[in-house]
Amino acid sequence: MNVIRLANDRPSVKDDFPVFAANEGLVYLDSGATAQKPISVLDRMDHFYRYANATVHRGVYRLSADATDAFEAARKTVADFINAEAREIIFVRGATEGLNLLADCLGRSDLLKAGDAVIVSELEHHANIVPWQLLRDGRGIELRVCPISEEGGLDMAALEALLADGKVKLVSVTHIANATGTVVPVKEVSRLARAKGAMVAIDGCQAVSHRPVDVRDLDVDFYVFSAHKLYGPTGTGVLFGRYELLEKLPPYQGGGAMITTVTFEKTEFAPPPQRFEAGTPDIVGVLGLAAAIDYVNGLGWDWIAAHEAAVMAHGEAVLRAIPGVTILPAGPERASIFSILVEGIHPHDLGTILDNHDVAVRAGSHCAQPLLAKYNCYATVRASVGVYNEAADFDRLAAGIKSAQKLFGKGA
């Protein structure tokens, strides 16, 4: 397996990502959708399938015992990454499944009953809207929506007002908005929610690859994220839950591994986290996630923060210098994402033209239709950065935009 090399050992972090060697000249600005994978992650997954493949939690033979040890060590790696306990980490297919699991299990528990209210915000990905709508329609909860300010940040005064009557039992909001890069002040959200006795759930998909996350310091009850936005594989994700709350939740699915005993008369369920992990898990995906965390830790948060801040500052300056380009607002703090409109050019057309310049961006609604509707648009071009991006990537993006403007007769 490869040894992780620190970023200052060579000119570019791109050296660690095989996709760039295979696609010469590629500018990849779609990490908000899915991040590229370093060789250390690919090697870890390949090694397991080639030389160590066995199921976990079942076999008494050495290969299975070794796989179980590696799987549970990965759980500890994830827990340490967000300052949680290993028993508080539930492996799921992604943040979407984590949020659906949470909504479904809360709705069948005593923690959330008909007539109780849940707050989401206008910043949310559909995965943090639709599960709560399903719970509203099926179980009779009330769904409240916290607006954003004119500057694009979460309206904290409005949040406090929505909490005032004491009916809210859960506030579920994003950490960083996937469509605009808005950073939500999670600690303040938690403080306001706690004052009214409400639980707090956070969608951390866009946060975990850009900043350290400490669930104890943030004082949250639940936190979800996906491996593939953290330089890991698709199909794997994490739901963190405070253990004392997880113990109160019923299972999400039934099957093997989540039970202690089964008869035709009664089933006794395993304690968390096994209670929520029915069936054979995505073992290699979990190992890939742990390898991705090792990679990020190897780079170091100080380096990541400084590098991405420099890239984002250059990107903003370059984009704002182009006539006809509008950047959707992000409030007091923006992280890793620009969502842009170019006057007279449909985002899908712009995305296609940029692809002809080997610049990969996302064009569409970004699974955030209510947020884009707030800005009277139904699609944008989104440029989102990762550790492998460089300031020059935004120069290439700007050149592609200007080329599109000329093609549409909009350029200078």
Side-chain angles (χ1 to χ4, degrees):
M1 295 175 61
N2 285 22
V3 176
I4 298 171
R5 301 168 297 166
L6 294 179
N8 56 8
D9 287 344
R10 73 279 188 215
S12 174
V13 176
K14 283 185 177 179
D15 295 346
D16 289 340
F17 294 82
V19 69
F20 295 110
N23 296 272
E24 186 176 356
L26 172 66
V27 170
Y28 188 78
L29 288 168
D30 197 23
S31 295
T34 194
Q36 297 299 335
K37 322 305 175 193
I39 190 65
S40 57
V41 170
L42 302 174
D43 283 352
R44 180 67 182 94
M45 297 172 69
D46 181 70
H47 180 273
F48 179 80
Y49 271 144
R50 285 180 183 272
Y51 308 117
N53 182 53
T55 194
V56 297
H57 302 146
R58 290 171 176 82
V60 296
Y61 54 93
R62 178 187 57 80
L63 209 59
S64 178
D66 289 348
T68 299
D69 288 345
F71 186 82
E72 291 305 325
R75 194 188 303 273
K76 180 65 164 57
T77 296
V78 174
D80 290 345
F81 186 61
I82 60 171
N83 192 26
E85 299 178 29
R87 63 180 185 167
E88 296 176 314
I89 300 300
I90 299 166
F91 290 122
V92 289
R93 290 182 299 168
T96 296
E97 183 174 59
L99 288 164
N100 276 273
L101 185 160
L102 182 60
D104 181 84
C105 294
L106 281 173
R108 291 184 290 112
S109 76
D110 292 332
L111 296 174
L112 196 60
K113 301 175 182 177
D116 291 340
V118 171
I119 293 176
V120 297
S121 82
E122 290 183 321
L123 294 168
E124 304 310 314
H125 186 284
H126 297 163
N128 199 31
I129 299 173
V130 179
W132 307 112
Q133 289 178 332
L134 293 173
L135 198 59
R136 176 197 63 195
D137 297 343
R139 307 280 168 80
I141 68 159
E142 178 189 352
L143 187 59
R144 301 178 179 180
V145 181
C146 182
I148 58 175
S149 66
E150 291 184 6
E151 296 76 25
L154 190 66
D155 188 332
M156 301 303 290
L159 175 62
E160 190 168 15
L162 288 171
L163 285 160
D165 63 5
K167 290 182 61 180
V168 176
K169 295 298 184 284
L170 177 73
V171 177
S172 186
V173 294
T174 188
H175 197 162
I176 295 176
N178 81 300
T180 59
T182 299
V183 178
V184 171
V186 172
K187 288 183 71 170
E188 179 64 8
V189 169
S190 296
R191 185 188 69 80
L192 294 175
R194 292 275 178 255
K196 292 297 182 179
M199 298 175 290
V200 178
I202 300 296
D203 172 3
C205 275
Q206 300 295 337
V208 290
S209 57
H210 301 288
R211 59 186 56 207
V213 169
D214 183 331
V215 294
R216 304 300 181 202
D217 181 61
L218 295 174
D219 193 23
V220 298
D221 298 293
F222 306 99
Y223 196 98
V224 301
F225 62 92
S226 295
H228 72 103
K229 299 180 192 294
L230 185 60
Y231 310 104
T234 57
T236 300
V238 171
L239 166 62
F240 155 80
R242 289 186 190 268
Y243 194 76
E244 60 269 25
L245 294 178
L246 294 180
E247 285 186 302
K248 297 176 181 179
L249 297 182
Y252 182 51
Q253 295 176 320
M258 49 76 69
I259 54 87
T260 55
T261 60
V262 175
T263 69
F264 284 113
E265 290 71 36
K266 184 180 181 181
T267 294
E268 297 288 342
F269 300 113
Q274 285 75 25
R275 181 186 303 169
F276 305 101
E277 294 181 356
T280 302
D282 182 6
I283 302 166
V284 74
V286 167
L287 298 181
L289 169 58
I293 289 172
D294 288 341
Y295 179 79
V296 168
N297 286 338
L299 291 178
W301 286 119
D302 289 344
W303 183 87
I304 291 172
H307 176 75
E308 291 191 355
V311 171
M312 288 290 290
H314 181 76
E316 183 162 7
V318 166
L319 290 171
R320 292 198 185 281
I322 305 173
V325 170
T326 298
I327 302 175
L328 293 193
E333 184 181 1
R334 180 193 302 276
S336 73
I337 289 167
F338 296 110
S339 205
I340 67 173
L341 296 166
V342 178
E343 185 179 358
I345 305 177
H346 193 283
H348 292 165
D349 293 332
L350 179 57
T352 300
I353 293 168
L354 289 171
D355 182 50
N356 292 332
H357 290 260
D358 292 324
V359 177
V361 295
R362 178 77 177 269
S365 68
H366 321 302
C367 297
Q369 291 178 9
L371 177 57
L372 294 195
K374 182 88 173 180
Y375 294 110
N376 297 312
C377 63
Y378 297 94
T380 69
V381 163
R382 185 184 68 183
S384 51
V385 306
V387 295
Y388 33 67
N389 287 114
E390 300 163 349
D393 292 344
F394 278 96
D395 296 330
R396 290 271 304 279
L397 173 62
I401 291 172
K402 291 174 183 177
S403 177
Q405 287 178 320
K406 289 181 181 179
L407 184 64
F408 280 80
K410 302 294 181 181

